[in-house]
Amino acid sequence: MKNIAILGFGVVGCGVAEVIAMNKDRIAKRVGEEVRVKKILDIHEFPDSPFADLITTNKDEVFGDSEISIVVETIGGARIAYEYTKQALSSGKTVVTSNKELVSTHGVELMQIAKANNCSYIFEASVGGGIPIIRPLHRCLAANKVERIAGIVNGTTNYILTQMAECGSDFEKALKEAQSKGYAEANPSADVDGIDAQRKIAILSTIALDGAYVDPTKLFTVGITNITTKDMEYAKEMNASIKLLAVFENKEDGAFAYVAPHLVSKSHPLACANDVFNAIMVTGNALGDAMFYGQGAGKLATASAVVGDVMDAALHQDKDAHITEWFVSDKPVLSPIENHVVSVLLRLPDSVSDEAISEAFPEISCQPCVYEAEGEKAVILGKDGDMTEAQLAIGLENFDNVISMIRIF
Ligand code: HSE
């Protein structure tokens, strides 16, 4: 019998208990023994839950129980979850988590504690919800230099953008729907301001850089709050979709990681990921492109990845088989975003002259957009790969009447 505890009985924690109950027999067969949820720690009691008798508010019943060897942390955030994770790892209990904030903020330290205590800190569910991406990137693609990761990694914003594009919904209504379905973060700012995607691409970038830690708080990040239904109209006319992309690139001109809404051509596979679905395209120098697609948030989908990790931990617990080591490099791991080459759709009032645009963006390719809304001038800048983020920022300083600016993937 492998005894586990769940910390935090929210959407994902409850999903973990449900998946283990639902697939009890096949899990036991694969692991070679029964995996049993022995305790669920939460500050609330859940008298109506089928798992009510497992719930405790006393953390000593988890940390002081030597029979519990694997702890699932689904509390979220980086405060209590951080303390409890350190406590569990320090006493040799492997911790499995979906907590991208904690992994991306304190992953280096937590993996070191795990190593020192001969246990593991594993986090497949922290990126892409139920989609396998951490282990494939870390293990199956280990022979590759990862040249690019481009992903739709936040289900809430993808749901909102899809609703805006397809149903003409406004932003608030679509956000409320995403929240009611259990996709959104407790604080929706983490979703709509791109912070959740920032944390996830920091995790993927660190793995792609062989464990050299990428600090999410340093990444250039733009959310979706400024996207309007008019932007959707442009996207439609350009045969494109607007997607919040989280991108990592590692090429001759440097390594970059950033998050921003992009126009993605409808012919690109990433444009096909709608609603809460996530899609992550990885480009390796041996593999070429591979795309990972599936449910990026939600109760059972995320629990599927957590329970997969629990089973892996149960199978390999005495072998250090899944210890991943991250480290803080003494050199910068990423290049300044100002050097990154970018192409954008720029919308201005039609009173702005062509001369004013070419003076603001000298020697940068500029062509009219296939569509212009009434009263507007719309141009595509940098399509020839001749504009950096720094040049874009300098050029934009010439205008105090920009209607919108969206990057093009
Ligand atoms: N709020 C997150 C999302 C949950 O919408 O993708 C899954 O990480």
Side-chain angles (χ1 to χ4, degrees):
M1 172 96 70
K2 192 61 80 179
N3 288 296
I4 75 161
I6 299 171
L7 312 183
F9 200 54
V11 174
V12 180
C14 180
V16 171
E18 279 183 27
V19 169
I20 289 175
M22 181 169 82
N23 292 336
K24 188 170 165 237
D25 292 343
R26 62 163 288 108
I27 291 170
K29 201 166 165 203
R30 288 292 292 267
V31 172
E33 59 188 320
E34 186 186 337
V35 173
R36 176 174 75 130
V37 180
K38 191 171 179 192
K39 286 286 165 205
I40 299 171
L41 180 68
D42 202 287
I43 50 170
H44 305 289
E45 286 169 3
F46 295 83
D48 300 330
S49 163
F51 305 102
D53 56 336
L54 305 179
I55 294 169
T56 176
T57 54
N58 178 4
K59 71 185 177 77
D60 295 337
E61 289 190 24
V62 171
F63 298 114
D65 187 337
S66 59
E67 280 183 7
I68 294 173
S69 56
I70 299 169
V71 168
V72 169
E73 183 274 298
T74 47
I75 299 170
R79 288 174 48 242
I80 297 166
Y82 177 49
E83 296 309 324
Y84 284 1
T85 300
K86 279 196 292 188
Q87 194 172 345
L89 293 172
S90 299
S91 52
K93 298 184 196 300
T94 279
V95 176
V96 172
T97 190
S98 57
N99 186 339
K100 54 264 162 162
E101 180 176 354
L102 191 57
V103 174
S104 66
T105 309
H106 295 293
V108 174
E109 181 195 3
L110 295 172
M111 283 173 228
Q112 281 167 358
I113 298 174
K115 188 178 182 196
N117 290 280
N118 205 25
C119 56
S120 297
Y121 184 52
I122 45 180
F123 42 91
E124 179 62 61
S126 65
V127 182
I131 308 172
I133 181 64
I134 302 284
R135 203 173 272 103
L137 191 59
H138 181 60
R139 292 264 177 80
C140 316
L141 303 180
N144 289 260
K145 174 188 173 191
V146 176
E147 294 175 339
R148 188 170 76 179
I149 301 168
I152 296 163
V153 292
N154 183 269
T156 300
T157 46
N158 205 34
Y159 184 85
I160 292 171
L161 293 171
T162 306
Q163 292 294 309
M164 287 175 76
E166 291 182 0
C167 312
S169 300
D170 67 18
F171 179 84
E172 294 300 334
K173 182 172 173 242
L175 172 60
K176 281 210 178 75
E177 276 176 26
Q179 285 173 313
S180 73
K181 287 173 190 260
Y183 304 150
E185 297 301 301
N187 174 4
S189 159
D191 293 302
V192 299
D193 293 329
I195 311 299
D196 179 70
Q198 178 192 70
R199 291 171 179 147
K200 289 168 176 169
I201 196 65
I203 293 171
L204 297 182
S205 304
T206 301
I207 296 170
L209 291 167
D210 298 322
Y213 175 65
V214 171
D215 181 346
T217 62
K218 303 280 184 338
L219 302 187
F220 176 76
T221 300
V222 183
I224 65 159
T225 51
N226 289 332
I227 301 292
T228 63
T229 43
K230 203 62 150 184
D231 291 319
M232 292 295 173
E233 202 173 294
Y234 271 86
K236 193 171 171 202
E237 296 297 332
M238 293 168 76
N239 199 28
S241 296
I242 298 177
K243 297 291 181 194
L244 182 68
L245 294 187
V247 183
F248 164 78
E249 283 173 8
N250 192 8
K251 303 209 172 126
E252 285 71 41
D253 55 343
F256 301 94
Y258 53 92
V259 175
H262 283 73
L263 284 153
V264 180
S265 165
K266 284 219 163 119
S267 62
H268 193 284
L270 283 171
C272 302
N274 287 319
D275 295 317
V276 72
F277 282 83
N278 282 194
I280 303 163
M281 185 169 266
V282 179
T283 308
N285 68 345
L287 164 83
D289 291 335
M291 192 156 108
F292 300 81
Y293 171 83
Q295 288 214 52
K299 189 176 176 180
L300 295 188
T302 309
S304 153
V306 174
V307 177
D309 270 354
V310 168
M311 292 168 68
D312 200 47
L315 274 166
H316 298 113
Q317 201 148 30
D318 303 322
K319 302 181 195 148
D320 295 354
H322 33 245
I323 287 183
T324 312
E325 279 188 72
W326 287 5
F327 60 93
V328 177
S329 171
D330 48 12
K331 291 188 257 155
V333 288
L334 296 179
S335 308
I337 195 69
E338 290 75 14
N339 299 346
H340 188 250
V341 173
V342 65
S343 164
V344 302
L345 163 70
L346 178 64
R347 290 169 53 206
L348 294 159
D350 63 1
S351 53
V352 174
S353 68
D354 291 345
E355 292 69 35
I357 296 176
S358 44
E359 273 170 31
F361 299 98
E363 293 171 35
I364 286 165
S365 58
C366 176
Q367 59 191 67
C369 180
V370 288
Y371 171 75
E372 283 180 339
E374 204 182 323
E376 293 191 8
K377 174 164 294 208
V379 292
I380 308 288
L381 293 167
K383 194 150 189 239
D384 295 345
D386 50 4
M387 181 171 72
T388 61
E389 286 280 355
Q391 288 169 307
L392 171 64
I394 291 167
L396 288 175
E397 280 172 12
N398 291 276
F399 305 101
D400 57 10
N401 50 358
V402 171
I403 300 170
S404 86
M405 189 276 290
I406 306 182
R407 289 165 180 77
I408 299 174
F409 184 64

Short mmCIF file of all heavy atoms in Angstrom, two decimals, residues 41-99:
data_model
loop_
_atom_site.label_atom_id
_atom_site.label_comp_id
_atom_site.label_asym_id
_atom_site.label_seq_id
_atom_site.Cartn_x
_atom_site.Cartn_y
_atom_site.Cartn_z
N LEU A 41 -5.48 17.47 3.64
CA LEU A 41 -5.33 18.61 4.56
C LEU A 41 -5.94 19.86 3.94
O LEU A 41 -5.61 20.23 2.80
CB LEU A 41 -3.84 18.84 4.83
CG LEU A 41 -3.48 20.00 5.77
CD1 LEU A 41 -3.93 19.71 7.20
CD2 LEU A 41 -1.98 20.27 5.73
N ASP A 42 -6.83 20.49 4.68
CA ASP A 42 -7.42 21.75 4.20
C ASP A 42 -7.84 22.56 5.43
O ASP A 42 -8.04 21.99 6.51
CB ASP A 42 -8.63 21.48 3.29
CG ASP A 42 -8.93 22.66 2.37
OD1 ASP A 42 -9.45 23.69 2.86
OD2 ASP A 42 -8.64 22.56 1.16
N ILE A 43 -7.97 23.87 5.24
CA ILE A 43 -8.42 24.67 6.39
C ILE A 43 -9.93 24.53 6.59
O ILE A 43 -10.47 24.88 7.61
CB ILE A 43 -8.04 26.17 6.27
CG1 ILE A 43 -8.44 26.74 4.90
CG2 ILE A 43 -6.55 26.38 6.54
CD1 ILE A 43 -8.30 28.25 4.82
N HIS A 44 -10.62 24.05 5.55
CA HIS A 44 -12.07 23.86 5.66
C HIS A 44 -12.39 22.38 5.83
O HIS A 44 -11.62 21.51 5.43
CB HIS A 44 -12.77 24.33 4.37
CG HIS A 44 -12.44 25.75 4.02
ND1 HIS A 44 -12.92 26.80 4.73
CD2 HIS A 44 -11.67 26.27 3.03
CE1 HIS A 44 -12.47 27.93 4.20
NE2 HIS A 44 -11.70 27.64 3.17
N GLU A 45 -13.58 22.15 6.40
CA GLU A 45 -14.08 20.77 6.43
C GLU A 45 -15.10 20.64 5.29
O GLU A 45 -15.71 21.62 4.90
CB GLU A 45 -14.74 20.49 7.77
CG GLU A 45 -13.69 20.34 8.87
CD GLU A 45 -14.28 20.32 10.26
OE1 GLU A 45 -15.51 20.37 10.38
OE2 GLU A 45 -13.48 20.27 11.21
N PHE A 46 -15.23 19.46 4.76
CA PHE A 46 -16.16 19.25 3.63
C PHE A 46 -17.09 18.10 4.00
O PHE A 46 -16.93 16.98 3.50
CB PHE A 46 -15.36 18.93 2.35
CG PHE A 46 -14.49 20.06 1.87
CD1 PHE A 46 -13.22 20.27 2.41
CD2 PHE A 46 -14.93 20.91 0.87
CE1 PHE A 46 -12.41 21.31 1.98
CE2 PHE A 46 -14.12 21.96 0.42
CZ PHE A 46 -12.86 22.15 0.98
N PRO A 47 -18.06 18.38 4.88
CA PRO A 47 -18.88 17.28 5.41
C PRO A 47 -19.67 16.53 4.35
O PRO A 47 -19.99 15.36 4.53
CB PRO A 47 -19.82 17.99 6.40
CG PRO A 47 -19.72 19.44 6.09
CD PRO A 47 -18.41 19.69 5.45
N ASP A 48 -19.97 17.21 3.21
CA ASP A 48 -20.77 16.53 2.19
C ASP A 48 -19.93 15.78 1.15
O ASP A 48 -20.47 15.15 0.24
CB ASP A 48 -21.66 17.56 1.45
CG ASP A 48 -22.61 18.25 2.42
OD1 ASP A 48 -22.98 17.59 3.41
OD2 ASP A 48 -22.94 19.43 2.20
N SER A 49 -18.62 15.88 1.28
CA SER A 49 -17.76 15.23 0.28
C SER A 49 -17.68 13.73 0.55
O SER A 49 -17.67 13.30 1.71
CB SER A 49 -16.35 15.83 0.36
OG SER A 49 -15.44 14.99 -0.29
N PRO A 50 -17.60 12.92 -0.51
CA PRO A 50 -17.41 11.48 -0.28
C PRO A 50 -16.06 11.20 0.40
O PRO A 50 -15.83 10.10 0.89
CB PRO A 50 -17.46 10.88 -1.70
CG PRO A 50 -17.32 12.03 -2.63
CD PRO A 50 -17.76 13.26 -1.91
N PHE A 51 -15.18 12.21 0.43
CA PHE A 51 -13.86 12.01 1.05
C PHE A 51 -13.79 12.67 2.44
O PHE A 51 -12.71 12.87 2.98
CB PHE A 51 -12.76 12.58 0.14
CG PHE A 51 -12.80 12.00 -1.25
CD1 PHE A 51 -13.34 12.73 -2.31
CD2 PHE A 51 -12.35 10.72 -1.50
CE1 PHE A 51 -13.40 12.20 -3.59
CE2 PHE A 51 -12.41 10.17 -2.77
CZ PHE A 51 -12.93 10.91 -3.82
N ALA A 52 -14.99 13.02 2.99
CA ALA A 52 -15.04 13.80 4.23
C ALA A 52 -14.24 13.16 5.37
O ALA A 52 -13.58 13.87 6.14
CB ALA A 52 -16.50 13.98 4.66
N ASP A 53 -14.27 11.84 5.44
CA ASP A 53 -13.58 11.20 6.57
C ASP A 53 -12.05 11.24 6.45
O ASP A 53 -11.35 10.91 7.39
CB ASP A 53 -14.08 9.75 6.75
CG ASP A 53 -13.92 8.94 5.48
OD1 ASP A 53 -13.87 9.55 4.39
OD2 ASP A 53 -13.82 7.70 5.57
N LEU A 54 -11.56 11.65 5.28
CA LEU A 54 -10.09 11.74 5.11
C LEU A 54 -9.58 13.14 5.41
O LEU A 54 -8.38 13.36 5.52
CB LEU A 54 -9.69 11.38 3.67
CG LEU A 54 -10.16 10.04 3.12
CD1 LEU A 54 -9.70 9.87 1.68
CD2 LEU A 54 -9.60 8.91 3.99
N ILE A 55 -10.51 14.09 5.52
CA ILE A 55 -10.10 15.49 5.62
C ILE A 55 -9.71 15.85 7.05
O ILE A 55 -10.40 15.49 8.00
CB ILE A 55 -11.21 16.41 5.07
CG1 ILE A 55 -11.34 16.15 3.56
CG2 ILE A 55 -10.88 17.90 5.31
CD1 ILE A 55 -12.54 16.76 2.90
N THR A 56 -8.58 16.53 7.14
CA THR A 56 -8.12 17.01 8.45
C THR A 56 -7.67 18.45 8.32
O THR A 56 -7.25 18.88 7.25
CB THR A 56 -6.96 16.14 8.99
OG1 THR A 56 -6.51 16.71 10.22
CG2 THR A 56 -5.79 16.08 8.02
N THR A 57 -7.77 19.17 9.43
CA THR A 57 -7.23 20.54 9.44
C THR A 57 -5.91 20.56 10.21
O THR A 57 -5.31 21.61 10.36
CB THR A 57 -8.24 21.50 10.12
OG1 THR A 57 -8.57 20.97 11.41
CG2 THR A 57 -9.51 21.65 9.29
N ASN A 58 -5.48 19.39 10.65
CA ASN A 58 -4.27 19.29 11.47
C ASN A 58 -3.10 18.80 10.62
O ASN A 58 -3.04 17.63 10.26
CB ASN A 58 -4.55 18.33 12.64
CG ASN A 58 -3.33 18.15 13.52
OD1 ASN A 58 -2.29 18.78 13.31
ND2 ASN A 58 -3.46 17.27 14.50
N LYS A 59 -2.16 19.69 10.36
CA LYS A 59 -1.07 19.32 9.44
C LYS A 59 -0.17 18.22 10.01
O LYS A 59 0.45 17.48 9.26
CB LYS A 59 -0.26 20.55 9.05
CG LYS A 59 0.61 21.16 10.10
CD LYS A 59 1.24 22.43 9.55
CE LYS A 59 2.08 23.16 10.57
NZ LYS A 59 3.38 22.58 10.82
N ASP A 60 -0.13 18.09 11.33
CA ASP A 60 0.72 17.04 11.92
C ASP A 60 0.24 15.64 11.52
O ASP A 60 1.02 14.69 11.52
CB ASP A 60 0.71 17.16 13.45
CG ASP A 60 1.36 18.47 13.88
OD1 ASP A 60 2.15 19.02 13.08
OD2 ASP A 60 1.04 18.96 14.98
N GLU A 61 -1.04 15.54 11.20
CA GLU A 61 -1.55 14.23 10.77
C GLU A 61 -0.99 13.82 9.41
O GLU A 61 -1.05 12.67 9.02
CB GLU A 61 -3.09 14.24 10.71
CG GLU A 61 -3.72 14.27 12.08
CD GLU A 61 -5.22 14.05 12.00
OE1 GLU A 61 -5.71 13.46 11.03
OE2 GLU A 61 -5.90 14.52 12.95
N VAL A 62 -0.45 14.80 8.69
CA VAL A 62 0.21 14.48 7.42
C VAL A 62 1.72 14.39 7.64
O VAL A 62 2.35 13.36 7.37
CB VAL A 62 -0.09 15.56 6.35
CG1 VAL A 62 0.76 15.36 5.10
CG2 VAL A 62 -1.57 15.55 6.01
N PHE A 63 2.29 15.47 8.15
CA PHE A 63 3.76 15.53 8.23
C PHE A 63 4.33 14.57 9.28
O PHE A 63 5.46 14.13 9.16
CB PHE A 63 4.22 16.97 8.48
CG PHE A 63 3.81 17.88 7.36
CD1 PHE A 63 2.88 18.89 7.56
CD2 PHE A 63 4.33 17.70 6.08
CE1 PHE A 63 2.48 19.71 6.51
CE2 PHE A 63 3.93 18.52 5.03
CZ PHE A 63 3.01 19.52 5.25
N GLY A 64 3.50 14.28 10.30
CA GLY A 64 3.99 13.38 11.34
C GLY A 64 3.70 11.91 11.05
O GLY A 64 4.01 11.04 11.87
N ASP A 65 3.12 11.63 9.90
CA ASP A 65 2.75 10.24 9.59
C ASP A 65 3.81 9.61 8.68
O ASP A 65 3.90 9.93 7.49
CB ASP A 65 1.37 10.24 8.90
CG ASP A 65 0.84 8.83 8.70
OD1 ASP A 65 1.66 7.87 8.69
OD2 ASP A 65 -0.38 8.68 8.55
N SER A 66 4.59 8.72 9.25
CA SER A 66 5.70 8.14 8.46
C SER A 66 5.18 7.20 7.36
O SER A 66 5.93 6.84 6.46
CB SER A 66 6.66 7.40 9.39
OG SER A 66 5.94 6.39 10.06
N GLU A 67 3.93 6.80 7.46
CA GLU A 67 3.37 5.94 6.39
C GLU A 67 3.10 6.72 5.10
O GLU A 67 3.00 6.14 4.04
CB GLU A 67 2.05 5.32 6.86
CG GLU A 67 2.25 4.12 7.76
CD GLU A 67 0.91 3.50 8.13
OE1 GLU A 67 -0.16 3.88 7.60
OE2 GLU A 67 0.95 2.61 8.96
N ILE A 68 2.95 8.05 5.24
CA ILE A 68 2.68 8.87 4.04
C ILE A 68 4.01 9.23 3.39
O ILE A 68 4.82 9.95 3.96
CB ILE A 68 1.87 10.13 4.42
CG1 ILE A 68 0.48 9.73 4.90
CG2 ILE A 68 1.79 11.10 3.24
CD1 ILE A 68 -0.36 10.86 5.47
N SER A 69 4.22 8.67 2.20
CA SER A 69 5.53 8.89 1.56
C SER A 69 5.45 9.85 0.38
O SER A 69 6.46 10.31 -0.12
CB SER A 69 6.11 7.56 1.11
OG SER A 69 5.19 6.90 0.26
N ILE A 70 4.23 10.14 -0.11
CA ILE A 70 4.06 11.05 -1.24
C ILE A 70 2.99 12.08 -0.86
O ILE A 70 1.92 11.71 -0.36
CB ILE A 70 3.63 10.30 -2.51
CG1 ILE A 70 4.68 9.26 -2.91
CG2 ILE A 70 3.39 11.29 -3.68
CD1 ILE A 70 4.23 8.29 -3.99
N VAL A 71 3.31 13.32 -1.11
CA VAL A 71 2.38 14.40 -0.78
C VAL A 71 2.04 15.15 -2.06
O VAL A 71 2.93 15.53 -2.82
CB VAL A 71 3.03 15.36 0.25
CG1 VAL A 71 2.23 16.63 0.39
CG2 VAL A 71 3.19 14.67 1.60
N VAL A 72 0.75 15.33 -2.30
CA VAL A 72 0.30 16.11 -3.45
C VAL A 72 -0.01 17.52 -2.96
O VAL A 72 -0.85 17.68 -2.07
CB VAL A 72 -0.96 15.47 -4.08
CG1 VAL A 72 -1.59 16.40 -5.11
CG2 VAL A 72 -0.63 14.12 -4.69
N GLU A 73 0.67 18.50 -3.52
CA GLU A 73 0.42 19.89 -3.10
C GLU A 73 -0.43 20.57 -4.16
O GLU A 73 0.03 20.83 -5.27
CB GLU A 73 1.74 20.62 -2.88
CG GLU A 73 1.57 22.04 -2.37
CD GLU A 73 1.38 23.07 -3.47
OE1 GLU A 73 2.31 23.22 -4.30
OE2 GLU A 73 0.30 23.69 -3.52
N THR A 74 -1.69 20.83 -3.81
CA THR A 74 -2.58 21.54 -4.73
C THR A 74 -3.20 22.74 -4.00
O THR A 74 -4.36 23.07 -4.22
CB THR A 74 -3.68 20.59 -5.28
OG1 THR A 74 -4.25 19.85 -4.19
CG2 THR A 74 -3.15 19.62 -6.29
N ILE A 75 -2.40 23.33 -3.15
CA ILE A 75 -2.87 24.52 -2.41
C ILE A 75 -2.81 25.73 -3.34
O ILE A 75 -3.70 26.57 -3.37
CB ILE A 75 -2.00 24.77 -1.16
CG1 ILE A 75 -2.07 23.57 -0.21
CG2 ILE A 75 -2.42 26.06 -0.45
CD1 ILE A 75 -1.06 23.62 0.92
N GLY A 76 -1.73 25.80 -4.10
CA GLY A 76 -1.51 26.96 -4.97
C GLY A 76 -0.83 28.08 -4.20
O GLY A 76 -0.75 28.07 -2.96
N GLY A 77 -0.31 29.05 -4.96
CA GLY A 77 0.37 30.18 -4.33
C GLY A 77 1.75 29.79 -3.83
O GLY A 77 2.16 28.62 -3.93
N ALA A 78 2.46 30.76 -3.30
CA ALA A 78 3.84 30.50 -2.90
C ALA A 78 4.08 30.84 -1.43
O ALA A 78 5.19 31.15 -1.04
CB ALA A 78 4.80 31.27 -3.80
N ARG A 79 3.04 30.77 -0.61
CA ARG A 79 3.23 31.06 0.82
C ARG A 79 3.10 29.78 1.63
O ARG A 79 4.09 29.14 1.93
CB ARG A 79 2.24 32.13 1.27
CG ARG A 79 2.61 33.51 0.70
CD ARG A 79 1.59 34.60 0.98
NE ARG A 79 1.17 34.65 2.36
CZ ARG A 79 -0.09 34.43 2.79
NH1 ARG A 79 -1.03 34.16 1.92
NH2 ARG A 79 -0.39 34.49 4.06
N ILE A 80 1.86 29.40 1.92
CA ILE A 80 1.68 28.18 2.74
C ILE A 80 2.19 26.97 1.97
O ILE A 80 2.84 26.09 2.52
CB ILE A 80 0.18 27.99 3.10
CG1 ILE A 80 -0.26 29.18 3.95
CG2 ILE A 80 -0.05 26.70 3.86
CD1 ILE A 80 -1.75 29.31 4.09
N ALA A 81 1.92 26.97 0.67
CA ALA A 81 2.36 25.84 -0.16
C ALA A 81 3.89 25.69 -0.08
O ALA A 81 4.43 24.58 -0.06
CB ALA A 81 1.92 26.05 -1.60
N TYR A 82 4.59 26.81 -0.04
CA TYR A 82 6.06 26.81 0.04
C TYR A 82 6.51 26.19 1.37
O TYR A 82 7.37 25.30 1.39
CB TYR A 82 6.53 28.26 -0.10
CG TYR A 82 8.00 28.51 0.02
CD1 TYR A 82 8.94 27.76 -0.68
CD2 TYR A 82 8.47 29.54 0.85
CE1 TYR A 82 10.30 28.04 -0.57
CE2 TYR A 82 9.81 29.82 0.97
CZ TYR A 82 10.73 29.07 0.26
OH TYR A 82 12.06 29.35 0.37
N GLU A 83 5.91 26.64 2.47
CA GLU A 83 6.29 26.12 3.79
C GLU A 83 6.01 24.62 3.87
O GLU A 83 6.85 23.84 4.31
CB GLU A 83 5.52 26.86 4.90
CG GLU A 83 5.85 28.34 5.01
CD GLU A 83 7.35 28.62 5.10
OE1 GLU A 83 8.08 27.82 5.73
OE2 GLU A 83 7.80 29.63 4.52
N TYR A 84 4.82 24.22 3.44
CA TYR A 84 4.45 22.81 3.53
C TYR A 84 5.32 21.94 2.61
O TYR A 84 5.68 20.82 2.95
CB TYR A 84 2.97 22.63 3.17
CG TYR A 84 1.99 23.07 4.26
CD1 TYR A 84 2.44 23.61 5.46
CD2 TYR A 84 0.62 22.92 4.08
CE1 TYR A 84 1.53 24.01 6.44
CE2 TYR A 84 -0.29 23.31 5.06
CZ TYR A 84 0.18 23.86 6.24
OH TYR A 84 -0.72 24.24 7.21
N THR A 85 5.63 22.47 1.44
CA THR A 85 6.46 21.69 0.52
C THR A 85 7.85 21.48 1.11
O THR A 85 8.40 20.37 1.07
CB THR A 85 6.55 22.39 -0.86
OG1 THR A 85 5.23 22.50 -1.39
CG2 THR A 85 7.42 21.63 -1.83
N LYS A 86 8.41 22.54 1.70
CA LYS A 86 9.73 22.40 2.32
C LYS A 86 9.68 21.38 3.45
O LYS A 86 10.57 20.54 3.58
CB LYS A 86 10.20 23.76 2.87
CG LYS A 86 10.79 24.66 1.80
CD LYS A 86 11.58 25.81 2.38
CE LYS A 86 10.70 26.80 3.11
NZ LYS A 86 11.41 28.02 3.51
N GLN A 87 8.61 21.47 4.23
CA GLN A 87 8.48 20.55 5.37
C GLN A 87 8.37 19.10 4.89
O GLN A 87 9.02 18.21 5.45
CB GLN A 87 7.24 20.94 6.19
CG GLN A 87 7.22 20.26 7.55
CD GLN A 87 6.10 20.79 8.45
OE1 GLN A 87 5.51 21.83 8.19
NE2 GLN A 87 5.82 20.06 9.51
N ALA A 88 7.57 18.89 3.85
CA ALA A 88 7.40 17.52 3.35
C ALA A 88 8.72 16.99 2.78
O ALA A 88 9.15 15.87 3.11
CB ALA A 88 6.30 17.50 2.28
N LEU A 89 9.37 17.79 1.93
CA LEU A 89 10.61 17.34 1.30
C LEU A 89 11.70 17.11 2.35
O LEU A 89 12.47 16.14 2.27
CB LEU A 89 11.10 18.37 0.27
CG LEU A 89 10.22 18.57 -0.98
CD1 LEU A 89 10.72 19.75 -1.80
CD2 LEU A 89 10.17 17.31 -1.84
N SER A 90 11.75 17.98 3.35
CA SER A 90 12.79 17.86 4.39
C SER A 90 12.62 16.57 5.18
O SER A 90 13.59 16.05 5.73
CB SER A 90 12.72 19.04 5.36
OG SER A 90 12.94 20.22 4.65
N SER A 91 11.38 16.05 5.23
CA SER A 91 11.21 14.78 5.93
C SER A 91 11.19 13.60 4.95
O SER A 91 10.73 12.51 5.29
CB SER A 91 9.96 14.81 6.81
OG SER A 91 8.86 15.22 6.05
N GLY A 92 11.69 13.83 3.75
CA GLY A 92 11.89 12.73 2.80
C GLY A 92 10.64 12.31 2.05
O GLY A 92 10.60 11.27 1.40
N LYS A 93 9.58 13.13 2.11
CA LYS A 93 8.37 12.79 1.36
C LYS A 93 8.45 13.44 -0.03
O LYS A 93 8.71 14.65 -0.12
CB LYS A 93 7.12 13.31 2.08
CG LYS A 93 6.91 12.72 3.49
CD LYS A 93 5.61 13.23 4.08
CE LYS A 93 5.48 13.01 5.58
NZ LYS A 93 5.54 11.63 6.06
N THR A 94 8.25 12.66 -1.06
CA THR A 94 8.21 13.23 -2.42
C THR A 94 6.99 14.13 -2.55
O THR A 94 5.91 13.80 -2.05
CB THR A 94 8.19 12.09 -3.46
OG1 THR A 94 9.54 11.63 -3.63
CG2 THR A 94 7.65 12.54 -4.81
N VAL A 95 7.17 15.26 -3.21
CA VAL A 95 6.05 16.18 -3.41
C VAL A 95 5.72 16.27 -4.90
O VAL A 95 6.60 16.48 -5.74
CB VAL A 95 6.36 17.59 -2.85
CG1 VAL A 95 5.22 18.57 -3.17
CG2 VAL A 95 6.59 17.52 -1.34
N VAL A 96 4.44 16.09 -5.20
CA VAL A 96 3.92 16.20 -6.57
C VAL A 96 3.03 17.44 -6.59
O VAL A 96 2.20 17.60 -5.69
CB VAL A 96 3.08 14.95 -6.92
CG1 VAL A 96 2.36 15.13 -8.25
CG2 VAL A 96 3.95 13.70 -6.93
N THR A 97 3.19 18.28 -7.59
CA THR A 97 2.40 19.51 -7.58
C THR A 97 1.93 19.95 -8.95
O THR A 97 2.51 19.58 -9.97
CB THR A 97 3.22 20.65 -6.92
OG1 THR A 97 2.35 21.77 -6.70
CG2 THR A 97 4.38 21.10 -7.80
N SER A 98 0.87 20.79 -8.92
CA SER A 98 0.42 21.48 -10.13
C SER A 98 0.69 22.98 -9.99
O SER A 98 0.22 23.77 -10.79
CB SER A 98 -1.09 21.26 -10.30
OG SER A 98 -1.78 21.73 -9.13
N ASN A 99 1.45 23.35 -8.97
CA ASN A 99 1.59 24.75 -8.56
C ASN A 99 2.72 25.45 -9.33
O ASN A 99 3.87 25.47 -8.91
CB ASN A 99 1.86 24.77 -7.06
CG ASN A 99 1.87 26.16 -6.49
OD1 ASN A 99 2.07 27.13 -7.20
ND2 ASN A 99 1.67 26.25 -5.19
#
